Every structure is written in structure tokens, then in C-alpha cells.
Amino acid sequence: MFTCSTHQNFMKRNTVCKLVYHLLNPPPYRVLGWGTMARPILQRHRNLESQNNGYCVRLVPVYFTAIGNSRLNFIDTNVFHKDLTKLELVNVSYNQMTYFEPWPYVPETPNDDIDLVFDIQHNLIENFTNTMNWTYDLVEPYEYLVNLQFNKISEMSDEVIFMYRQKVEDQSVLTELLTYNVNITNNPFFCNCKLYELVRDLHASFFLYYRVEEYRYRCASPPHLANVDLLHDLDLDQFVCNITDNCPLNCTCQEKPYISTLEINCTNANLRELPKTLPPMSDNIQYVSLYLSGNHITEITKRNYSDIIYNLTVSNNYINYIDGEALKEMVNLNNLDISGNDLKFVPKEIQKLSFHKVKVRGNPFQCECNMTWMADWISLSNGADDSSITCSSDEKTHVIKDVTEKSLGCNISDFVIIFSVVMTVVVGVIVGGIITAKRCPYETKVLIYRFLRIHPRDLYKVDQDETMHYDAFLSFDGEDIQVRQWIKTIFMKKLEENGKKKYKFFCPLRDALVGEDYGQDLVEKMTQSRRIFVLLSPGYFTDTWRIYESDQAEMEHNANSENHPRVVYIIWHDENEVIKQNLQKEPWKSRLIGKRVLSPDKRFFWSKIRYELPIKPRNKINRVNNSYTDIRGRKGRTTT
């Protein structure tokens, strides 16, 4: 039914209502609606600026409706309803509407495969709204075509596309666009980071190749991208946003969603410290990269954003101090450039990064006993052979990767050694003799061997086999930096270099052959070792090669009950939950039965290690040809 308003001016509008009634209840011809004959009559009464102005509060089923060129800026949400089953075309082009409501999707479409076309071209639409709270469930076969070309749409995000969803699970941009069937070409798109998610999702769908020539979406800005096809001719890394709010003075801040990073470039910006705060960031930004070269920064300290720093470039400043705790908090740090500064030392926490990810050239490093760890850090990292970083001591220059405690004269004095030995003997005799002998028989044997050199157990035949190349094979998680440094700088140094008895270890990280069958080489080296030390740390249980080594160690242990290298397990930390849980499972639970299990956390650890190592004959050396050549072809030291 068609109704007109009962407003007091009804009689003045009577002519209009009669005309509209005849237009909406016509004889049986197809093209109906507001035509050129109706427009002058309406405009004489009032310019048509609203579809809720009292003229017509409800439309009856029609085939075509045209309201073009009428300065229309608003269409009430009740105008188009489900009963308009005959509607095929609504033309509201060349008007002044500024936002889009989903009223085109309300009328029910007939089952005749005829699309209901809403022509909304050449308006001023730039926003999408949903005050009518319309949603869809993807069940009804929507047959609509909404033409929004030549409007003011500059942005189109996933939030807009999902605005009309009742539920957000199983979101699919492709499904949404197929449902809406909206043509938004020929709009002034601003090609920045706000378009990134939409373009990324479309790149992953067949829409990338769907009616390419007909549906080209082109950038209107920024100027350098004007008229570029944003979907087909623009790489995803071009969708960036320049941030001005709270960007440090003289700096440029840019969001790059392609790499989930906010880049802050403050090169030569006269900064005296790291920025204290960051500009506001979008939800898809996870990291920040700081480029701060050529400033007057003197130190690197904590910031409230330290945990998201991915790249930190502070070369050519005046930095003389780096807070080790600040480096600890940089859990996502991947690249660090501190070259060209005034650093004499760097904190040990810098080892969290491999040496090849840190640039340190151009700093006046000093050669001191507390920095010899740098030699191991450099030598155990990729690219170490190319490193020529130097330090100075007593007007001499040393290559850091070749520096040792001995070369710097860092050995403990004889007085300290003698005092330590005397005190250890006294404490060991008094305390160990009274308590340890009763409660800890194993510790008692260890102390007897330590002080009296009497080994109360039978010797293995393998200890007398002169064809063996190594005293022990070391199996450990080389990816764990703490474990790796402990093995290299403490365990191996203490047993291979220091002390009267110098043992020879096979360390896969250091000695494994390059370019040959790695697994076969490990097995061969195990068979040539008198002992096998397995250091169990959290990462060991998930490392494929370490599991392989432990399996081979178990096979070697069980190969011969009299002539075999004995397997010794070392627990990295007794209270570590990951280690404790794995040792309750097979095969580890069974493997540790009957084996010697030691821990650096327990007392007499080093004495127990020496107790478990082979006893060397006094008059001859268990070495092949009294020397060895390592896998890099360098001649090893002669053992005496």
C-alpha cells in the first residue's frame, strides 16, 4: 500500500502524492519511478534532500526507481524493505550522500537470477556505517550489485568488510566480497598501511585475477603512487604509513605492516639519548627498528619498549656504556650496530646475539682479563675467520679472537693456588673424613683419589688402549649459549689446558669434520673415545643430532662390558623442571640406571669429573704420535 503523510500541509502536497501514487501503481509497462516529468513538480515544492521528509514513508513493489540528480544526501533505513520483490534497479547517482548504509541488501530478490542493481555512483560517500544493525548469515542467496564508483572512498580495511558480520569466527575477506558484490573502482584510494591487510588478503585469493581490466583499483595518493593499480602493480611493502604524532624531533617514523615493524629513523638528528617513548602503533605492529647513527648518544639504557626492539643501529655516536640489563630486556633484538663509538668494554649479555649479527668495529677496546670471553664469542660464531677486531694493552694491539688469559697474564697467583689447596686438604680431611666417609662413600672415594692419587676401582681395559685418540667425547646442546660458553670457557679449559693432567676431548662444535658424513664422523669419534660425557640441558631433549649422539653413546656403552668407553651423564641444573620431567620418561629413565650422574650444582663436581676420566699411565702418554691434527688442518699442541 502507498501512503502519504497526514501532515497539516497535506493538501499542498496532494499533487505530489497523486503523482507518486500513479508512478508506483502503474499500468503494466516496466520502466517506472521518478522521471524527468516528476522532478520539476517536486522541486517546485521543495528540493528532494531526504527520503524521510513526509512525501513517501514506504515504497510499494516496483521494477525501477530513479532518484538521480536530486541533491539527495540521506535515505532513511525504512525506505527499502523486504516487500520490494519487484525492484530491479535503484538509481541514486549524482547526489550528495556522504556515507553508505546497508539498505541495498534489505529487499528480497526474486528467484529469477536477476541481480538487484543499486547505482550509487558519483556521490560523496567516504564512510561505511551500520546504524540499522543489519547483518547477514551467508545462507540467503544474495543477488545484488552495488555500484559505488566515483565516490570519495579512500580507505578500505578488514574492519569495514567484517562490519556486517554477526559472528567473527571463520572470517574470510573473499567470502565477504562475494556476498556484498560491491564495485568500488574509480575511487581516490590513499595507498598507505591502512590498505595493507585488504590487499594482502586479496593477493591470497582468486580476486587477484578476477575481471582484472574491469576492476582496477588505483591509488590517488600519495603522489608518487598516483594512478598505480594497487592490487596488481604494487608490492605489499609499499603500503606504509608515515607517523607524525609523538615522532621524535628531526626524525621520521614509518609503520611497515609487511614486516610488522615501526621504523624510526633519527640519523643525524642531534639526539643525546635513545627516544624515551614511541609513537602510537597499530595492532599489527610488533617490533620497532631504531636507526640512530650520527648523533650524540653516550649510553644505552633501559626503555619501556626494550622488549620489542628488533634492530638497533647507533653507530658513530659517543657511546661509552651499555647496560647489560637493558640488553637482557631486548628479547627480540636481532641486529645491533654499535660501531664507531667510545666503548672500551661491552657487557657479557651481548653474547645473546651471534657475533655476525653485531657490528663493533671502530671502538677503542681495552685488553683486560674480564673481556677474554669475547675471544670465545667471536670464534664460536659465523664469520669468525673474517674478524679482526682488536684491543689495546700496554701500547700493544691484539686481535681479540686470539686473546687468552695467559697472553694477558691473568693466571691466578701461586699463593692463591697454594692457599686453596691447603684449605681444601684441611677441610677435606676433617669434614670429609668424619662425615663423608660414612654418609657418602662415593664422595669419599673421590676425595681419596683427589688428595692421595689412589683410585679404588679397577681400571677399564679401554684406558690402556693406545689406539684411542680421545679421553672423552662431549655431547651437549651447542645452540644454548650458556651451555656452549660453559663447555668452552670452563669445562674444556679447566681439563684440557689447566692443571697437571691435560685431557683431550672431542667437541663436535669445534672438531666435527666439515663436508663429510656428519653422523658417520660422530660415531667414529665415539669409538675412538675412552669416555662419553652427555650434558643434559633443556634444549638437548629436542635436538635431533643430540638424540642421535645419546643413542650412539648407549650403543657404545652396551657393546662390551669390559672394554668400552663409560658413559657419564651431567645434569645441567638439578632443579630445572624441563630436565626433571624428561628424566621421568623413557628412554632417559632407564638409561640413567647404573650410570654415573653428576651435576655442576653438587659439591666436588670437578673432583668427580677427574675421578671418572681415564687414569693416565705415569711413564707413557695415551696419545697417537704424541700429537694430533684437528679438523681444520691446524697442528695441535704436543701433550706431555
Side-chain angles (χ1 to χ4, degrees):
M1 174 181 290
F2 172 79
T3 61
C4 284
S5 172
T6 57
H7 192 273
Q8 61 181 352
N9 293 325
F10 169 72
M11 295 305 296
K12 294 181 180 179
R13 300 176 184 171
N14 193 30
T15 304
V16 176
C17 287
K18 289 180 179 180
L19 174 62
V20 174
Y21 176 82
H22 288 295
L23 289 173
L24 299 180
N25 296 271
Y29 48 79
R30 291 182 58 83
V31 181
L32 309 172
W34 303 103
T36 57
M37 179 179 67
R39 188 177 297 111
I41 298 175
L42 291 175
Q43 289 181 342
R44 281 202 300 269
H45 290 81
R46 184 177 179 182
N47 286 327
L48 183 60
E49 295 182 354
S50 172
Q51 275 296 91
N52 193 27
N53 56 13
Y55 292 143
C56 307
V57 297
R58 190 170 179 82
L59 293 176
V60 297
V62 294
Y63 288 98
F64 288 77
T65 298
I67 318 175
N69 277 318
S70 301
R71 292 202 297 168
L72 183 70
N73 59 27
F74 173 77
I75 296 179
D76 189 80
T77 56
N78 294 321
V79 171
F80 293 94
H81 51 87
K82 292 184 177 181
D83 296 334
L84 297 175
T85 56
K86 301 294 185 180
L87 198 61
E88 295 182 6
L89 170 65
V90 175
N91 183 355
V92 289
S93 61
Y94 292 96
N95 279 288
Q96 299 178 9
M97 291 186 293
T98 58
Y99 59 89
F100 176 82
E101 278 280 323
W103 46 259
Y105 301 102
V106 176
E108 293 187 353
T109 57
N111 296 322
D112 54 6
D113 296 329
I114 298 178
D115 290 340
L116 172 54
V117 178
F118 281 83
D119 190 349
I120 320 177
Q121 300 183 73
H122 295 282
N123 275 271
L124 304 176
I125 294 174
E126 58 181 337
N127 296 315
F128 291 80
T129 57
N130 192 19
T131 58
M132 59 191 295
N133 293 321
W134 176 81
T135 60
Y136 67 92
D137 56 12
L138 295 180
V139 175
E140 295 295 331
Y142 295 106
E143 296 177 352
Y144 302 97
L145 177 59
V146 181
N147 293 325
L148 286 172
Q149 303 98 307
F150 302 102
N151 277 277
K152 299 297 181 182
I153 302 171
S154 61
E155 298 178 4
M156 181 64 69
S157 64
D158 284 356
E159 286 77 9
V160 172
I161 295 175
F162 296 132
M163 182 186 301
Y164 309 118
R165 286 296 298 272
Q166 188 173 9
K167 297 180 180 180
V168 296
E169 63 255 17
D170 192 26
Q171 294 179 348
S172 166
V173 172
L174 177 59
T175 303
E176 316 305 310
L177 291 179
L178 284 172
T179 300
Y180 297 148
N181 205 6
V182 173
N183 188 342
I184 57 174
T185 59
N186 294 293
N187 275 279
F189 290 107
F190 187 14
C191 295
N192 63 2
C193 64
K194 295 180 180 180
L195 281 178
Y196 167 76
E197 290 185 352
L198 175 63
V199 176
R200 177 200 61 193
D201 294 339
L202 291 177
H203 275 195
S205 73
F206 78 85
F207 259 98
L208 184 63
Y209 307 103
Y210 176 70
R211 301 168 71 175
V212 173
E213 294 305 321
E214 181 180 353
Y215 289 94
R216 282 196 178 273
Y217 304 85
R218 298 187 181 276
C219 304
S221 56
H224 69 282
L225 297 178
N227 207 38
V228 176
D229 183 339
L230 63 91
L231 188 58
H232 301 94
D233 299 333
L234 203 59
D235 293 332
L236 290 176
D237 58 5
Q238 295 294 308
F239 293 92
V240 301
C241 283
N242 293 318
I243 309 300
T244 56
D245 292 345
N246 294 327
C247 186
L249 185 64
N250 300 323
C251 302
T252 58
C253 301
Q254 195 173 70
E255 281 195 2
K256 295 187 173 182
Y258 184 66
I259 52 176
S260 303
T261 300
L262 170 66
E263 287 191 358
I264 299 180
N265 192 328
C266 298
T267 303
N268 300 319
N270 201 31
L271 298 184
R272 297 189 176 276
E273 60 181 352
L274 270 63
K276 292 185 177 180
T277 59
L278 298 179
M281 297 179 291
S282 303
D283 293 338
N284 56 2
I285 298 300
Q286 302 178 23
Y287 310 106
V288 60
S289 290
L290 299 171
Y291 298 94
L292 312 176
S293 298
N295 287 284
H296 301 279
I297 301 172
T298 58
E299 60 183 18
I300 297 177
T301 54
K302 294 181 182 180
R303 290 292 185 265
N304 61 3
Y305 56 85
S306 294
D307 60 324
I308 63 172
I309 296 178
Y310 183 81
N311 176 84
L312 179 59
T313 299
V314 286
S315 59
N316 300 315
N317 277 271
Y318 298 90
I319 298 173
N320 54 41
Y321 170 73
I322 298 178
D323 183 3
E325 293 300 317
L327 289 179
K328 279 186 178 180
E329 291 192 359
M330 297 180 188
V331 294
N332 286 298
L333 186 62
N334 190 64
N335 294 287
L336 176 63
D337 186 351
I338 53 175
S339 59
N341 281 284
D342 294 331
L343 290 165
K344 295 181 180 180
F345 307 98
V346 289
K348 289 185 177 181
E349 288 78 3
I350 202 172
Q351 297 176 90
K352 63 183 291 182
L353 293 176
S354 297
F355 175 72
H356 70 280
K357 293 185 177 181
V358 182
K359 296 180 180 179
V360 298
R361 292 182 180 277
N363 283 285
F365 292 119
Q366 290 186 356
C367 300
E368 297 288 348
C369 295
N370 61 357
M371 54 78 65
T372 54
W373 57 267
M374 290 185 68
D376 300 313
W377 175 50
I378 295 173
S379 63
L380 290 174
S381 299
N382 295 331
D385 293 340
D386 299 328
S387 173
S388 58
I389 310 301
T390 60
C391 61
S392 299
S393 175
D394 299 328
E395 298 182 354
K396 295 181 180 180
T397 300
H398 304 269
V399 177
I400 293 180
K401 72 182 183 69
D402 297 329
V403 166
T404 63
E405 291 183 355
K406 183 176 182 181
S407 66
L408 297 180
C410 300
N411 293 331
I412 302 176
S413 65
D414 292 340
F415 173 77
V416 174
I417 296 176
I418 294 174
F419 178 79
S420 299
V421 171
V422 171
M423 291 302 297
T424 302
V425 171
V426 172
V427 173
V429 172
I430 296 176
V431 179
I434 297 175
I435 299 175
T436 306
K438 294 182 179 180
R439 297 183 178 181
C440 309
Y442 176 68
E443 282 77 3
T444 301
K445 295 178 183 180
V446 170
L447 291 176
I448 291 175
Y449 176 67
R450 177 175 179 177
F451 298 118
L452 303 178
R453 288 295 179 263
I454 298 174
H455 209 301
R457 65 167 171 80
D458 295 332
L459 301 180
Y460 290 118
K461 293 181 180 180
V462 71
D463 291 352
Q464 309 300 318
D465 188 349
E466 297 186 18
T467 63
M468 289 291 177
H469 290 253
Y470 306 98
D471 291 309
F473 180 100
L474 302 181
S475 178
F476 61 94
D477 177 18
E479 296 298 323
D480 188 321
I481 187 171
Q482 293 183 340
V483 171
R484 185 180 70 211
Q485 294 292 354
W486 184 81
I487 286 288
K488 173 66 177 177
T489 62
I490 297 178
F491 188 88
M492 294 175 62
K493 182 169 290 188
K494 184 182 288 288
L495 298 173
E496 270 195 334
E497 300 178 14
N498 301 332
K500 293 182 180 180
K501 288 187 177 182
K502 296 179 174 60
Y503 299 92
K504 180 183 176 184
F505 298 109
F506 178 82
C507 176
L509 190 65
R510 178 191 66 181
D511 304 321
L513 294 177
V514 178
E516 296 188 9
D517 189 328
Y518 185 76
Q520 183 178 355
D521 183 45
L522 290 178
V523 174
E524 180 180 344
K525 293 304 185 294
M526 279 190 182
T527 60
Q528 297 175 354
S529 303
R530 295 181 174 87
R531 300 286 186 275
I532 300 174
F533 285 99
V534 178
L535 176 57
L536 298 177
S537 60
Y540 192 98
F541 301 97
T542 57
D543 190 312
T544 303
W545 277 112
R546 303 297 77 79
I547 298 298
Y548 175 78
E549 290 175 3
S550 64
D551 291 342
Q552 295 299 320
E554 192 68 12
M555 294 173 63
E556 287 293 325
H557 182 82
N558 297 327
N560 190 308
S561 59
E562 296 181 355
N563 186 16
H564 63 82
R566 183 176 184 179
V567 177
V568 178
Y569 287 96
I570 302 175
I571 308 300
W572 178 235
H573 289 303
D574 283 339
E575 299 303 320
N576 185 277
E577 289 298 325
V578 175
I579 298 177
K580 290 169 64 176
Q581 291 175 9
N582 278 280
L583 294 184
Q584 295 299 318
K585 303 174 183 178
E586 297 295 346
W588 303 104
K589 184 177 181 180
S590 299
R591 285 184 177 179
L592 267 60
I593 297 176
K595 305 286 198 323
R596 188 66 67 196
V597 181
L598 309 178
S599 173
D601 297 335
K602 297 297 181 65
R603 59 181 181 175
F604 308 134
F605 172 74
W606 295 109
S607 296
K608 294 175 182 178
I609 287 293
R610 290 188 172 91
Y611 180 83
E612 297 300 332
L613 282 166
I615 301 175
K616 299 176 182 294
R618 295 185 177 182
N619 298 323
K620 59 182 177 180
I621 303 167
N622 294 337
R623 301 277 197 250
V624 176
N625 298 327
N626 292 342
S627 65
Y628 68 94
T629 302
D630 70 13
I631 52 91
R632 300 177 185 83
R634 298 191 297 268
K635 186 69 176 297
R637 61 183 177 278
T638 300
T639 307
T640 58

